Amino acid sequence: MIAIPVKSEEENSNLLEEFGKAEYFALINNNKIEILKNEQKDTQEIANWLKDKNVNILISSALKENTFYTLKNNGIKVYCSQENKIKIDEVLLKYADGELPILNKLSFLYQKV
């Protein structure tokens, strides 16, 4: 299942840049999109909540280093949209076309430079 932090509960909302402040997450499974309200308090709780929802992929435009490692430690792969003014359907097309880079320790550190 794919998770995307989004700005609102609209069906085709824009991505939200700050993962830890996301009030909503779009969860995508078998081409069905469900927008869920995030009531978790910090990034560790959000990562645990996403893991409990069977999320194994997160698409985000930006992450802090600690958040990246928290997600990675929860078995969640992180893909970077490289832009935050993009809607859910657009970023899913880019993901399906293999246009989103997967973040790993090396690429995460490189993006910070």
Side-chain angles (χ1 to χ4, degrees):
M1 181 176 308
I2 300 171
I4 303 171
V6 293
K7 291 187 177 185
S8 72
E9 58 188 328
E10 292 177 23
E11 186 172 307
N12 197 25
S13 179
N14 282 342
L15 270 67
L16 181 72
E17 189 170 333
E18 295 186 51
F19 171 87
K21 295 185 179 183
E23 289 187 41
Y24 300 95
F25 277 86
L27 299 184
I28 299 91
N29 192 24
N30 295 325
N31 294 322
K32 293 180 184 174
I33 300 172
E34 180 181 14
I35 308 292
L36 297 180
K37 182 152 180 65
N38 172 32
E39 298 181 4
Q40 313 322 303
K41 305 292 183 222
D42 61 34
T43 57
Q44 181 65 56
E45 287 182 16
I46 296 170
N48 291 338
W49 177 65
L50 292 175
K51 184 178 180 180
D52 289 345
K53 296 283 184 191
N54 296 316
V55 169
N56 58 353
I57 294 170
L58 176 87
I59 299 173
S60 184
S61 60
L63 288 177
K64 293 182 179 176
E65 187 173 3
N66 289 342
T67 302
F68 167 74
Y69 287 111
T70 298
L71 291 163
K72 185 177 180 332
N73 292 337
N74 275 281
I76 299 173
K77 293 178 184 177
V78 179
Y79 288 81
C80 182
S81 72
Q82 300 178 320
E83 56 186 299
N84 60 355
K85 293 187 178 185
I86 187 169
K87 294 195 176 287
I88 295 169
D89 62 350
E90 296 169 306
V91 79
L92 288 174
L93 283 173
K94 286 185 176 213
Y95 171 76
D97 289 343
E99 295 177 18
L100 302 182
I102 187 167
L103 291 183
N104 57 38
K105 181 179 178 181
L106 183 60
S107 64
F108 183 82
L109 294 175
Y110 177 73
Q111 285 195 345
K112 290 176 61 177
V113 174

